[in-house]
Amino acid sequence: RVGQLDTAALRSGALTVEEAFRHFIFVHEYLSRRFDGEETKVVTVLDVAGLRFSEVNSFFLKLVSTASDVLNNLAPFRVQRIIVVNAPSWIGAAWPAVRRVLPAAVRDKVTIVGADFGDALRELAGNDEIPADYGGRGPPLGDGADELEMLEAVCVLNAGGAVDFLDDAPARSPAAGSDAEAPP
């Protein structure tokens, strides 16, 4: 939920671009090792509800550029689509600046929709994979089994522990019975 980021805290140095870069790499490495390796396809949903035009500044553009560099250079084959939902009316004015920092391969996968985004999500994921927050039948955002599993792995790693599957366990497919291609 990009629109709920505390951009003032980000600008203050609470998060550096290098830390964001490491985070983006970790997420994609995690997905690669936890699921079907290079075959894993990811749909990213960026909810920009609440994002103010004034927050689309140079630091924000650096974060977007960093994330898109990871996608373009580390995992271009993994990105199926990036859907920006709850786009405010001013998004058309900010899009040219954001567009310039995105590599063409990433930029071409971006779809921007307003508050009526249900059909765009259902084109790419089944209702059981779409969080209830977004009109699906899946668990609330942040409560999905795969999300909680990744959070647990992060907590173990931050505490100095090891997560075996990140080193040598075979990859697994997304949850059985799912009608989507990738985790949320």
Side-chain angles (χ1 to χ4, degrees):
R1 292 190 172 167
V2 176
Q4 294 180 1
L5 287 176
D6 184 349
T7 56
L10 293 176
R11 282 191 315 274
S12 75
L15 174 73
T16 67
V17 172
E18 293 78 21
E19 289 168 331
F21 181 73
R22 285 192 356 238
H23 168 75
F24 298 134
I25 288 175
F26 172 81
V27 168
H28 286 282
E29 186 67 17
Y30 178 92
L31 292 173
S32 176
R33 292 179 185 228
R34 190 64 181 142
F35 298 99
D36 293 325
E38 293 184 4
E39 299 304 314
T40 301
K41 298 292 185 198
V42 176
V43 173
T44 300
V45 178
L46 298 175
D47 187 343
V48 296
L51 185 67
R52 295 183 307 269
F53 185 77
S54 63
E55 294 172 313
V56 182
N57 54 35
S58 62
F59 185 80
F60 180 86
L61 292 174
K62 279 185 200 173
L63 286 178
V64 169
S65 177
T66 298
S68 62
D69 283 347
V70 169
L71 294 176
N72 191 52
N73 296 316
L74 179 65
F77 48 83
R78 192 169 291 135
V79 180
Q80 183 174 356
R81 180 79 71 54
I82 299 168
I83 302 176
V84 179
V85 301
N86 290 314
S89 59
W90 54 259
I91 199 77
W95 178 241
V98 174
R99 190 178 185 347
R100 277 193 294 277
V101 302
L102 299 176
V106 173
R107 182 175 56 234
D108 294 343
K109 294 180 181 181
V110 175
T111 300
I112 300 173
V113 292
D116 188 18
F117 52 78
D119 289 343
L121 296 181
R122 283 187 291 280
E123 283 178 22
L124 298 165
N127 273 332
D128 291 341
E129 291 296 313
I130 299 171
D133 316 51
Y134 292 96
R137 293 187 305 259
L141 192 61
D143 286 345
D146 295 324
E147 293 170 288
L148 295 172
E149 215 172 83
M150 185 167 82
L151 177 60
E152 182 180 338
V154 168
C155 290
V156 168
L157 292 169
N158 283 345
V163 179
D164 292 338
F165 77 84
L166 287 177
D167 295 323
D168 56 13
R172 69 170 181 83
S173 294
S178 161
D179 55 354
E181 293 183 13

